[in-house]
Amino acid sequence: MKVAFKLSIKKVKKAVIPAAGLGTRFLPATKAMPKEMLPIVDKPTIQYIIEEAIESGIEDILIVTGKGKRAIEDHFDSVPELEQQLIEKGKSEFLKLVEETTNINIHFIRQSKPMGLGHAVLQAKAFVGNDPFVVMLGDDIVQAEIPCTKQLIEQYNKTESSIIGVQPVSRDVTHRYGIVDPQASLEGGLHKVESFVEKPAPGTEPSNLAILGRYLFTPQIFKFLETQEPGAGGEIQLTDAITRLNEVQRVYAYEFVGKRYDVGEKLGFIRTTIEFALNRPDLEQPVLNILKEILGNYEGEVVSKWN
């Protein structure tokens, strides 16, 4: 009698966070400060991404940096002088906040040239090895009961295939995103995909399902990144490599559950900061009072301006 054994799939324990972009949308603030270190209230945007990874069961994190990004490494490094000072002054609540940023297994590698997102992910090949891994972009913060990355991992455990996180967006902004051309919709928000289109021209988008900063890949993606020709903008586009991977190994799109905040552009960043402040018990009422005061001051000016 033969007994069939199903090999257990490898657990997803590694994350790659590309952080080598120049952040030109936020100049002059990002001339000397990485955009990933711009704070939402009192926490750098990249820390929200790190926290999501940890809450999702990720154990090893690689941050791909570039020139002028040393502040990211410093933020997640220990500062003995500061910690000792906080201990001596009895500021245990602040000490805890500092320690939360240092007790994490984070690695860094530098992308020597800004050659696109696909090239940035390719820098992680040695770190990833033969393991499945997630890619988390810092322009998207997701608030969800189940962390977005954990949702992708749960789908991977069912499909054993690469999973791309998507959500519907307004048709008038599809040209800003990678867009999924869905082949068939399955249960639970999962989609088989015909192709992935990077920043389609207005009116040519195959759907309004946008790729929103969360990916889970099998290591086979590196085979296609290594041979990927430059695409839109003369850069190595991750979306192009995903399309080629999908031709030989199924790549699914998954509509994750949660509220996504776009902190990669100014208005989204401002909105995120306001909403996050309003969600904090210590800031909610003071911020509401400030907003009421500002709106009250502007009301007369706005009316007179448009009459």
Side-chain angles (χ1 to χ4, degrees):
M1 178 180 177
K2 293 183 178 180
V3 180
F5 292 95
K6 182 178 179 180
L7 296 176
S8 59
I9 63 174
K10 290 187 176 181
K11 293 184 177 180
V12 182
K13 295 295 182 182
K14 295 179 179 179
V16 177
I17 302 176
L22 298 176
T24 52
R25 292 178 182 174
F26 288 92
L27 285 171
T30 50
K31 180 182 177 183
M33 175 189 289
K35 70 172 183 176
E36 295 82 8
M37 291 300 295
L38 294 175
I40 304 296
V41 185
D42 54 7
K43 187 185 298 183
T45 56
I46 195 169
Q47 190 170 332
Y48 289 97
I49 310 303
I50 297 289
E51 290 174 352
E52 179 188 321
I54 294 171
E55 291 169 3
S56 300
I58 297 298
E59 297 177 356
D60 288 292
I61 299 169
L62 176 70
I63 300 178
V64 183
T65 65
K67 184 176 176 60
K69 301 283 185 168
R70 184 59 188 267
I72 298 175
E73 297 184 38
D74 290 342
H75 179 70
F76 293 104
D77 198 359
S78 61
V79 187
E81 302 86 356
L82 174 60
E83 294 171 14
Q84 184 59 38
Q85 189 176 87
L86 293 174
I87 292 173
E88 292 174 357
K89 294 185 177 182
K91 297 184 176 182
S92 58
E93 71 277 15
F94 293 112
L95 178 63
K96 181 180 179 181
L97 293 175
V98 171
E99 290 177 338
E100 285 177 352
T101 64
T102 58
N103 298 328
I104 308 169
N105 195 15
I106 299 181
H107 314 265
F108 296 90
I109 190 170
R110 175 171 287 195
Q111 183 184 20
S112 57
K113 297 179 181 179
M115 297 174 62
L117 178 58
H119 183 261
V121 174
L122 181 57
Q123 308 311 299
K125 182 180 178 182
F127 167 79
V128 168
N130 292 320
D131 298 323
F133 67 105
V134 294
V135 174
M136 308 173 69
L137 304 190
D139 284 350
D140 298 284
I141 295 175
V142 181
Q143 286 195 325
E145 184 174 341
I146 300 175
C148 180
T149 295
K150 187 173 183 179
Q151 293 180 47
L152 296 189
I153 292 173
E154 290 174 349
Q155 294 301 317
Y156 170 78
N157 291 338
K158 298 175 184 177
T159 64
E160 301 184 33
S161 297
S162 296
I163 309 283
I164 311 301
V166 300
Q167 278 192 340
V169 299
S170 174
R171 290 273 181 178
D172 61 350
V173 297
T174 52
H175 64 280
R176 291 176 45 199
Y177 300 95
I179 298 296
V180 166
D181 183 2
Q183 184 184 78
S185 296
L186 308 175
E187 292 184 0
L190 204 62
H191 301 269
K192 289 183 178 180
V193 179
E194 181 68 30
S195 64
F196 302 84
V197 184
E198 181 64 23
K199 298 180 179 178
T204 67
E205 66 277 2
S207 77
N208 69 331
L209 287 177
I211 301 171
L212 297 179
R214 298 294 183 275
Y215 312 77
L216 193 158
F217 293 118
T218 60
Q220 282 72 25
I221 187 66
F222 293 116
K223 172 184 176 183
F224 299 97
L225 287 173
E226 288 175 320
T227 58
Q228 185 61 53
E229 295 292 329
E235 298 180 337
I236 305 299
Q237 295 292 341
L238 180 60
T239 305
D240 294 340
I242 296 172
T243 294
R244 294 171 61 207
L245 173 63
N246 190 45
E247 293 172 357
V248 298
Q249 185 183 91
R250 174 66 65 187
V251 178
Y252 291 93
Y254 173 69
E255 289 189 57
F256 62 85
V257 179
K259 185 169 184 179
R260 171 253 184 179
Y261 294 87
D262 182 358
V263 296
E265 52 89 24
K266 293 174 186 176
L267 286 179
F269 185 87
I270 293 169
R271 181 188 181 109
T272 303
T273 301
I274 294 171
E275 285 201 32
F276 276 46
L278 290 173
N279 286 330
R280 292 231 330 221
D282 60 325
L283 294 175
E284 179 184 10
Q285 194 57 53
V287 171
L288 279 173
N289 293 339
I290 291 171
L291 291 174
K292 290 176 182 177
E293 179 183 344
I294 292 173
L295 290 173
N297 292 338
Y298 269 86
E299 186 175 3
E301 295 181 22
V302 172
V303 171
S304 61
K305 179 184 290 188
W306 292 101
N307 282 341

